[in-house]
Amino acid sequence: MTLRHSRRLGTVGKLLIDSLSNASVRRGERGFTLIELIMTIVLVGIIGGIIGALLLGGTQAFVAEDTKASLTTQGRLAVERMVRDIRLVRSRTAGDIPTMTAATLNFIDTSGNAIAYTSGGGSITRNGVVLAAAPTANLAFSYFQQDGTPAASAAQVWVIQVDLTFGGTNDSQDFRVRIHPRNF
């Protein structure tokens, strides 16, 4: 702009021309360089990855403990139900305990009800109804005489031992209980 034109503009015009001529310098000073933007993105990504890994680890630990608690609860409830029923075996006769194998226990309780406990396919059943289920469920019965030696017949049974291994994909819970029926 010439001197003649700048006289007509006055003070305001001169300030405007000065600000326009210095705008290119200020415009370069205000922004970020491409390297600064890339470094910021990389740092935010690293921090986000660390936080994500911590959250994932916490979530996995929670799920594992929740699964273990569920297995423990189901196994404990199944064992408690078996204990309650086995205590009520009517007598030590072959008629009241018709089947006493390692995998199955059939008996008649004091009310005359036939009760059968079995396991298979990842579930524990009572009279064919699923009592508890897990990916792996192993139920084993052992029968002992009063002196602690294994019993060979229903007439010799003094104590019935229940061993239950109740497991998931990574965890398993073991339960063992010895039950002396009330009428023996």
Side-chain angles (χ1 to χ4, degrees):
M1 198 170 239
T2 64
L3 184 58
R4 189 173 59 144
H5 287 79
S6 65
R7 282 186 194 152
R8 283 191 221 157
L9 293 174
T11 310
V12 174
K14 286 180 186 176
L15 289 172
L16 183 60
I17 291 171
D18 288 339
S19 67
L20 288 175
S21 63
N22 292 332
S24 62
V25 174
R26 278 191 246 124
R27 204 175 302 130
E29 292 174 359
R30 286 187 202 165
F32 296 104
T33 65
L34 184 59
I35 293 173
E36 290 172 333
L37 287 174
I38 290 173
M39 291 301 291
T40 302
I41 291 170
V42 168
L43 287 174
V44 168
I46 291 170
I47 292 170
I50 292 170
I51 291 172
L54 291 173
L55 290 174
L56 180 64
T59 302
Q60 288 173 339
F62 172 77
V63 169
E65 287 301 316
D66 187 50
T67 302
K68 189 172 183 174
S70 175
L71 289 173
T72 302
T73 301
Q74 282 194 53
R76 184 179 53 80
L77 290 174
V79 167
E80 286 176 2
R81 178 65 189 259
M82 285 187 266
V83 167
R84 196 170 48 237
D85 285 345
I86 292 171
R87 279 198 179 130
L88 298 176
V89 174
R90 187 164 51 192
S91 70
R92 298 190 290 177
T93 64
D96 286 338
I97 307 175
T99 307
M100 50 178 264
T101 65
T104 303
L105 174 62
N106 293 342
F107 61 90
I108 307 296
D109 69 4
T110 55
S111 299
N113 300 317
I115 298 174
Y117 281 106
T118 59
S119 72
S123 63
I124 308 298
T125 60
R126 179 185 183 272
N127 293 341
V129 177
V130 174
L131 186 60
T136 57
N138 297 317
L139 178 64
F141 295 101
S142 302
Y143 310 94
F144 298 98
Q145 297 181 44
Q146 193 169 3
D147 63 0
T149 59
S153 68
Q156 296 175 336
V157 174
W158 185 254
V159 173
I160 299 171
Q161 178 174 300
V162 177
D163 290 304
L164 174 63
T165 301
F166 213 60
T169 53
N170 297 326
D171 290 328
S172 68
Q173 295 287 41
D174 296 323
F175 301 91
R176 173 177 278 177
V177 63
R178 285 189 172 206
I179 307 134
H180 174 70
R182 291 178 182 162
N183 293 327
F184 287 13

